[in-house]
Amino acid sequence: MNTSSTTSPWSCGASRRSGPFPKRSLEIGAIVVAFVYWWPIAVAYVAWKIAGYPALSQMKEFANSGSFSFAGGDGRSRFARAFEAAKGYSGTAATSGNWAFEEYRRAELERLEARRRALQEESRAFAEFVEELKRAKDREQFDAFMAKRRSEGGGPTIEA
């Protein structure tokens, strides 16, 4: 069996534990019991079984080879990195090479940012307005309740 870092523990394809009937029936029974009591263990075992029972050292080697994770060190998927490489994007904003266009784009981005800040401020002001309306309504309801209680003579009684 090849144990180089470029092969995965799942590439061997051969099942290493395909024993006689009693062993297999006990294994299946254990999987069923594991699904009944704590399913994550059963799922992990089934995945390990489908992988062809790779040794722990093989799985560690495969995980450390870098082909195990979808994201590299920058947190982007391999697809995103390949797409950006194909389109010529870098980690920062891509430049067109045209000074006039870059100036126009910068001005538009600044205008959009100013508009976003203005909308954010309007949103905050509206939320404050709605909160003030709720307070006023609550105050009105409370005052009506207290006036009704006083008129019925059911005001608070204080005993000395």
Side-chain angles (χ1 to χ4, degrees):
M1 177 169 68
N2 186 3
T3 60
S4 69
S5 65
T6 58
T7 62
S8 74
W10 295 277
S11 64
C12 62
S15 177
R16 299 201 179 124
R17 202 180 286 175
S18 57
F21 176 74
K23 188 183 224 181
R24 184 157 297 246
S25 62
L26 290 174
E27 188 176 39
I28 292 171
I31 292 172
V32 170
V33 169
F35 268 112
V36 169
Y37 286 106
W38 204 49
W39 64 268
I41 293 292
V43 170
Y45 180 76
V46 169
W48 184 58
K49 182 174 176 58
I50 289 172
Y53 301 100
L56 188 59
S57 61
Q58 285 178 306
M59 289 190 295
K60 282 182 183 176
E61 181 181 321
F62 181 66
N64 292 335
S65 70
S67 57
F68 176 71
S69 65
F70 286 108
D74 58 0
R76 295 176 297 149
S77 69
R78 289 184 295 179
F79 175 77
R81 287 193 307 272
F83 179 77
E84 289 172 358
K87 293 292 183 180
Y89 297 134
S90 64
T92 61
T95 60
S96 66
N98 186 319
W99 181 86
F101 176 75
E102 292 301 321
E103 189 67 27
Y104 165 76
R105 183 171 74 170
R106 186 184 53 72
E108 285 297 305
L109 289 174
E110 288 173 1
R111 184 186 64 80
L112 288 172
E113 181 62 25
R115 183 68 183 144
R116 185 192 63 77
R117 283 192 303 267
L119 285 173
Q120 205 170 24
E121 178 59 30
E122 286 179 21
S123 176
R124 187 193 58 74
F126 180 72
E128 288 175 0
F129 173 74
V130 169
E131 188 62 33
E132 186 60 35
L133 285 177
K134 287 179 184 177
R135 282 192 206 116
K137 185 178 179 183
D138 288 347
R139 173 56 65 186
E140 181 182 313
Q141 289 174 344
F142 177 73
D143 290 342
F145 169 74
M146 291 304 289
K148 184 178 176 186
R149 271 187 69 110
R150 286 186 195 116
S151 68
E152 293 173 352
T157 57
I158 302 175
E159 296 185 21

